[in-house]
Amino acid sequence: QVKLLESGGGSVQAGGSLRLSCTVSGYTYSSYCMGWFRQAPGKEREGVAAIDSEGTTSYADSVKGRFTISQDNAKNTRYLQMNSLKPEDTAVYYCAQDPADACGYPSAPDPAEFGYWGQGTQVTVSS
């Protein structure tokens, strides 16, 4: 059974930083795409960043230069470092994983392409 567990959300003032973590268990394939997504109240879920098993990454235009996706394969953990946070970054953040072709490079990941999801973690940025 594939499980994804996010952590690291919280509240921060504009300009601050947070690092989200997503630990994956039960995924037995060596090839994967892992994405970070977010959903603000009243809005559709949107792709934020993705990384695949080769280390290729992609980002939504709205977070380029501010967010960095990375991974520690020894820990089966992916990270989203979020710097220079803005109030519009406020949302529930989710991680998701699926086979590598789900990444859809060079575009930001599409949530419709992912089947395994974490429970989400709240990020709140105040002005």
Side-chain angles (χ1 to χ4, degrees), residues 29-48:
Y29 301 102
S30 60
S31 175
Y32 62 83
C33 177
M34 182 274 176
W36 284 101
F37 303 83
R38 64 187 181 186
Q39 188 166 19
K43 294 187 177 182
E44 293 186 354
R45 192 169 297 187
E46 63 175 355
V48 175

PDB file of all heavy atoms in Angstrom, residues 29-48:
ATOM      1  N   TYR A  29       8.157   0.828  -7.381  1.00  0.00           N
ATOM      2  CA  TYR A  29       8.777   1.060  -8.684  1.00  0.00           C
ATOM      3  C   TYR A  29       9.967   2.003  -8.535  1.00  0.00           C
ATOM      4  O   TYR A  29       9.927   2.960  -7.781  1.00  0.00           O
ATOM      5  CB  TYR A  29       7.766   1.653  -9.656  1.00  0.00           C
ATOM      6  CG  TYR A  29       6.560   0.782  -9.873  1.00  0.00           C
ATOM      7  CD1 TYR A  29       5.349   1.067  -9.244  1.00  0.00           C
ATOM      8  CD2 TYR A  29       6.613  -0.348 -10.694  1.00  0.00           C
ATOM      9  CE1 TYR A  29       4.240   0.268  -9.432  1.00  0.00           C
ATOM     10  CE2 TYR A  29       5.505  -1.145 -10.888  1.00  0.00           C
ATOM     11  CZ  TYR A  29       4.328  -0.839 -10.251  1.00  0.00           C
ATOM     12  OH  TYR A  29       3.239  -1.629 -10.426  1.00  0.00           O
ATOM     13  N   SER A  30      10.997   1.774  -9.320  1.00  0.00           N
ATOM     14  CA  SER A  30      12.180   2.621  -9.245  1.00  0.00           C
ATOM     15  C   SER A  30      11.961   3.943  -9.957  1.00  0.00           C
ATOM     16  O   SER A  30      12.590   4.947  -9.626  1.00  0.00           O
ATOM     17  CB  SER A  30      13.389   1.899  -9.837  1.00  0.00           C
ATOM     18  OG  SER A  30      13.142   1.568 -11.194  1.00  0.00           O
ATOM     19  N   SER A  31      11.082   3.984 -10.928  1.00  0.00           N
ATOM     20  CA  SER A  31      10.807   5.193 -11.692  1.00  0.00           C
ATOM     21  C   SER A  31       9.550   5.873 -11.146  1.00  0.00           C
ATOM     22  O   SER A  31       8.523   5.230 -10.925  1.00  0.00           O
ATOM     23  CB  SER A  31      10.605   4.848 -13.162  1.00  0.00           C
ATOM     24  OG  SER A  31      10.232   5.983 -13.905  1.00  0.00           O
ATOM     25  N   TYR A  32       9.633   7.175 -10.915  1.00  0.00           N
ATOM     26  CA  TYR A  32       8.480   7.875 -10.350  1.00  0.00           C
ATOM     27  C   TYR A  32       8.541   9.355 -10.708  1.00  0.00           C
ATOM     28  O   TYR A  32       9.568   9.889 -11.096  1.00  0.00           O
ATOM     29  CB  TYR A  32       8.445   7.726  -8.823  1.00  0.00           C
ATOM     30  CG  TYR A  32       9.652   8.322  -8.132  1.00  0.00           C
ATOM     31  CD1 TYR A  32       9.730   9.682  -7.845  1.00  0.00           C
ATOM     32  CD2 TYR A  32      10.730   7.520  -7.793  1.00  0.00           C
ATOM     33  CE1 TYR A  32      10.847  10.228  -7.257  1.00  0.00           C
ATOM     34  CE2 TYR A  32      11.857   8.050  -7.195  1.00  0.00           C
ATOM     35  CZ  TYR A  32      11.911   9.395  -6.931  1.00  0.00           C
ATOM     36  OH  TYR A  32      13.029   9.920  -6.341  1.00  0.00           O
ATOM     37  N   CYS A  33       7.389   9.988 -10.544  1.00  0.00           N
ATOM     38  CA  CYS A  33       7.306  11.433 -10.518  1.00  0.00           C
ATOM     39  C   CYS A  33       6.607  11.802  -9.213  1.00  0.00           C
ATOM     40  O   CYS A  33       5.565  11.231  -8.880  1.00  0.00           O
ATOM     41  CB  CYS A  33       6.512  11.975 -11.690  1.00  0.00           C
ATOM     42  SG  CYS A  33       6.314  13.777 -11.625  1.00  0.00           S
ATOM     43  N   MET A  34       7.176  12.740  -8.511  1.00  0.00           N
ATOM     44  CA  MET A  34       6.574  13.210  -7.275  1.00  0.00           C
ATOM     45  C   MET A  34       6.272  14.693  -7.432  1.00  0.00           C
ATOM     46  O   MET A  34       7.132  15.453  -7.873  1.00  0.00           O
ATOM     47  CB  MET A  34       7.513  12.983  -6.086  1.00  0.00           C
ATOM     48  CG  MET A  34       6.931  13.411  -4.748  1.00  0.00           C
ATOM     49  SD  MET A  34       7.227  15.161  -4.425  1.00  0.00           S
ATOM     50  CE  MET A  34       6.340  15.356  -2.892  1.00  0.00           C
ATOM     51  N   GLY A  35       5.057  15.056  -7.126  1.00  0.00           N
ATOM     52  CA  GLY A  35       4.653  16.448  -7.286  1.00  0.00           C
ATOM     53  C   GLY A  35       4.152  17.066  -6.002  1.00  0.00           C
ATOM     54  O   GLY A  35       3.638  16.369  -5.119  1.00  0.00           O
ATOM     55  N   TRP A  36       4.310  18.377  -5.912  1.00  0.00           N
ATOM     56  CA  TRP A  36       3.693  19.175  -4.858  1.00  0.00           C
ATOM     57  C   TRP A  36       2.563  19.988  -5.492  1.00  0.00           C
ATOM     58  O   TRP A  36       2.743  20.583  -6.565  1.00  0.00           O
ATOM     59  CB  TRP A  36       4.697  20.111  -4.204  1.00  0.00           C
ATOM     60  CG  TRP A  36       5.631  19.447  -3.252  1.00  0.00           C
ATOM     61  CD1 TRP A  36       6.916  19.077  -3.482  1.00  0.00           C
ATOM     62  CD2 TRP A  36       5.340  19.077  -1.900  1.00  0.00           C
ATOM     63  NE1 TRP A  36       7.448  18.485  -2.365  1.00  0.00           N
ATOM     64  CE2 TRP A  36       6.497  18.472  -1.374  1.00  0.00           C
ATOM     65  CE3 TRP A  36       4.218  19.178  -1.078  1.00  0.00           C
ATOM     66  CZ2 TRP A  36       6.575  17.994  -0.064  1.00  0.00           C
ATOM     67  CZ3 TRP A  36       4.288  18.703   0.220  1.00  0.00           C
ATOM     68  CH2 TRP A  36       5.455  18.114   0.721  1.00  0.00           C
ATOM     69  N   PHE A  37       1.444  20.028  -4.802  1.00  0.00           N
ATOM     70  CA  PHE A  37       0.259  20.724  -5.273  1.00  0.00           C
ATOM     71  C   PHE A  37      -0.285  21.572  -4.135  1.00  0.00           C
ATOM     72  O   PHE A  37       0.048  21.359  -2.974  1.00  0.00           O
ATOM     73  CB  PHE A  37      -0.802  19.719  -5.731  1.00  0.00           C
ATOM     74  CG  PHE A  37      -0.316  18.787  -6.792  1.00  0.00           C
ATOM     75  CD1 PHE A  37       0.407  17.641  -6.466  1.00  0.00           C
ATOM     76  CD2 PHE A  37      -0.550  19.056  -8.133  1.00  0.00           C
ATOM     77  CE1 PHE A  37       0.878  16.796  -7.449  1.00  0.00           C
ATOM     78  CE2 PHE A  37      -0.085  18.204  -9.124  1.00  0.00           C
ATOM     79  CZ  PHE A  37       0.631  17.075  -8.778  1.00  0.00           C
ATOM     80  N   ARG A  38      -1.148  22.506  -4.477  1.00  0.00           N
ATOM     81  CA  ARG A  38      -1.792  23.290  -3.432  1.00  0.00           C
ATOM     82  C   ARG A  38      -3.220  23.630  -3.853  1.00  0.00           C
ATOM     83  O   ARG A  38      -3.538  23.695  -5.041  1.00  0.00           O
ATOM     84  CB  ARG A  38      -1.009  24.566  -3.138  1.00  0.00           C
ATOM     85  CG  ARG A  38      -0.934  25.566  -4.282  1.00  0.00           C
ATOM     86  CD  ARG A  38       0.010  26.701  -3.905  1.00  0.00           C
ATOM     87  NE  ARG A  38       0.093  27.704  -4.957  1.00  0.00           N
ATOM     88  CZ  ARG A  38       0.934  28.730  -4.937  1.00  0.00           C
ATOM     89  NH1 ARG A  38       1.787  28.888  -3.915  1.00  0.00           N
ATOM     90  NH2 ARG A  38       0.934  29.602  -5.931  1.00  0.00           N
ATOM     91  N   GLN A  39      -4.040  23.834  -2.825  1.00  0.00           N
ATOM     92  CA  GLN A  39      -5.426  24.195  -3.066  1.00  0.00           C
ATOM     93  C   GLN A  39      -5.840  25.229  -2.043  1.00  0.00           C
ATOM     94  O   GLN A  39      -5.855  24.951  -0.840  1.00  0.00           O
ATOM     95  CB  GLN A  39      -6.341  22.967  -2.995  1.00  0.00           C
ATOM     96  CG  GLN A  39      -7.757  23.256  -3.425  1.00  0.00           C
ATOM     97  CD  GLN A  39      -8.553  21.989  -3.679  1.00  0.00           C
ATOM     98  OE1 GLN A  39      -8.191  20.901  -3.220  1.00  0.00           O
ATOM     99  NE2 GLN A  39      -9.631  22.110  -4.426  1.00  0.00           N
ATOM    100  N   ALA A  40      -6.169  26.407  -2.550  1.00  0.00           N
ATOM    101  CA  ALA A  40      -6.670  27.483  -1.706  1.00  0.00           C
ATOM    102  C   ALA A  40      -8.196  27.399  -1.648  1.00  0.00           C
ATOM    103  O   ALA A  40      -8.820  26.839  -2.550  1.00  0.00           O
ATOM    104  CB  ALA A  40      -6.225  28.830  -2.266  1.00  0.00           C
ATOM    105  N   PRO A  41      -8.808  27.963  -0.616  1.00  0.00           N
ATOM    106  CA  PRO A  41     -10.270  27.908  -0.513  1.00  0.00           C
ATOM    107  C   PRO A  41     -10.943  28.479  -1.751  1.00  0.00           C
ATOM    108  O   PRO A  41     -10.597  29.560  -2.222  1.00  0.00           O
ATOM    109  CB  PRO A  41     -10.558  28.765   0.725  1.00  0.00           C
ATOM    110  CG  PRO A  41      -9.322  28.665   1.537  1.00  0.00           C
ATOM    111  CD  PRO A  41      -8.196  28.606   0.549  1.00  0.00           C
ATOM    112  N   GLY A  42     -11.889  27.720  -2.299  1.00  0.00           N
ATOM    113  CA  GLY A  42     -12.647  28.179  -3.451  1.00  0.00           C
ATOM    114  C   GLY A  42     -11.918  28.081  -4.773  1.00  0.00           C
ATOM    115  O   GLY A  42     -12.450  28.526  -5.801  1.00  0.00           O
ATOM    116  N   LYS A  43     -10.723  27.514  -4.760  1.00  0.00           N
ATOM    117  CA  LYS A  43      -9.940  27.401  -5.992  1.00  0.00           C
ATOM    118  C   LYS A  43      -9.634  25.941  -6.309  1.00  0.00           C
ATOM    119  O   LYS A  43      -9.696  25.072  -5.442  1.00  0.00           O
ATOM    120  CB  LYS A  43      -8.639  28.193  -5.871  1.00  0.00           C
ATOM    121  CG  LYS A  43      -8.835  29.696  -5.753  1.00  0.00           C
ATOM    122  CD  LYS A  43      -7.514  30.438  -5.818  1.00  0.00           C
ATOM    123  CE  LYS A  43      -7.721  31.933  -5.785  1.00  0.00           C
ATOM    124  NZ  LYS A  43      -6.429  32.677  -5.886  1.00  0.00           N
ATOM    125  N   GLU A  44      -9.303  25.691  -7.554  1.00  0.00           N
ATOM    126  CA  GLU A  44      -8.929  24.352  -7.965  1.00  0.00           C
ATOM    127  C   GLU A  44      -7.511  24.024  -7.480  1.00  0.00           C
ATOM    128  O   GLU A  44      -6.686  24.904  -7.274  1.00  0.00           O
ATOM    129  CB  GLU A  44      -8.995  24.229  -9.485  1.00  0.00           C
ATOM    130  CG  GLU A  44     -10.400  24.325 -10.059  1.00  0.00           C
ATOM    131  CD  GLU A  44     -10.434  24.046 -11.542  1.00  0.00           C
ATOM    132  OE1 GLU A  44      -9.358  23.888 -12.152  1.00  0.00           O
ATOM    133  OE2 GLU A  44     -11.540  23.978 -12.108  1.00  0.00           O
ATOM    134  N   ARG A  45      -7.281  22.720  -7.323  1.00  0.00           N
ATOM    135  CA  ARG A  45      -5.946  22.274  -6.964  1.00  0.00           C
ATOM    136  C   ARG A  45      -5.002  22.554  -8.140  1.00  0.00           C
ATOM    137  O   ARG A  45      -5.339  22.294  -9.298  1.00  0.00           O
ATOM    138  CB  ARG A  45      -5.961  20.788  -6.629  1.00  0.00           C
ATOM    139  CG  ARG A  45      -4.707  20.281  -5.975  1.00  0.00           C
ATOM    140  CD  ARG A  45      -4.900  18.878  -5.441  1.00  0.00           C
ATOM    141  NE  ARG A  45      -5.928  18.841  -4.390  1.00  0.00           N
ATOM    142  CZ  ARG A  45      -6.201  17.759  -3.662  1.00  0.00           C
ATOM    143  NH1 ARG A  45      -5.514  16.632  -3.866  1.00  0.00           N
ATOM    144  NH2 ARG A  45      -7.142  17.800  -2.749  1.00  0.00           N
ATOM    145  N   GLU A  46      -3.823  23.074  -7.830  1.00  0.00           N
ATOM    146  CA  GLU A  46      -2.870  23.418  -8.878  1.00  0.00           C
ATOM    147  C   GLU A  46      -1.499  22.818  -8.599  1.00  0.00           C
ATOM    148  O   GLU A  46      -1.117  22.623  -7.445  1.00  0.00           O
ATOM    149  CB  GLU A  46      -2.739  24.939  -9.014  1.00  0.00           C
ATOM    150  CG  GLU A  46      -2.189  25.637  -7.788  1.00  0.00           C
ATOM    151  CD  GLU A  46      -1.967  27.125  -8.005  1.00  0.00           C
ATOM    152  OE1 GLU A  46      -2.150  27.611  -9.134  1.00  0.00           O
ATOM    153  OE2 GLU A  46      -1.587  27.805  -7.031  1.00  0.00           O
ATOM    154  N   GLY A  47      -0.776  22.531  -9.656  1.00  0.00           N
ATOM    155  CA  GLY A  47       0.573  22.010  -9.512  1.00  0.00           C
ATOM    156  C   GLY A  47       1.553  23.103  -9.151  1.00  0.00           C
ATOM    157  O   GLY A  47       1.478  24.204  -9.690  1.00  0.00           O
ATOM    158  N   VAL A  48       2.457  22.792  -8.244  1.00  0.00           N
ATOM    159  CA  VAL A  48       3.454  23.751  -7.783  1.00  0.00           C
ATOM    160  C   VAL A  48       4.843  23.378  -8.297  1.00  0.00           C
ATOM    161  O   VAL A  48       5.548  24.207  -8.846  1.00  0.00           O
ATOM    162  CB  VAL A  48       3.464  23.808  -6.245  1.00  0.00           C
ATOM    163  CG1 VAL A  48       4.585  24.705  -5.741  1.00  0.00           C
ATOM    164  CG2 VAL A  48       2.121  24.291  -5.716  1.00  0.00           C
TER     165      VAL A  48
END
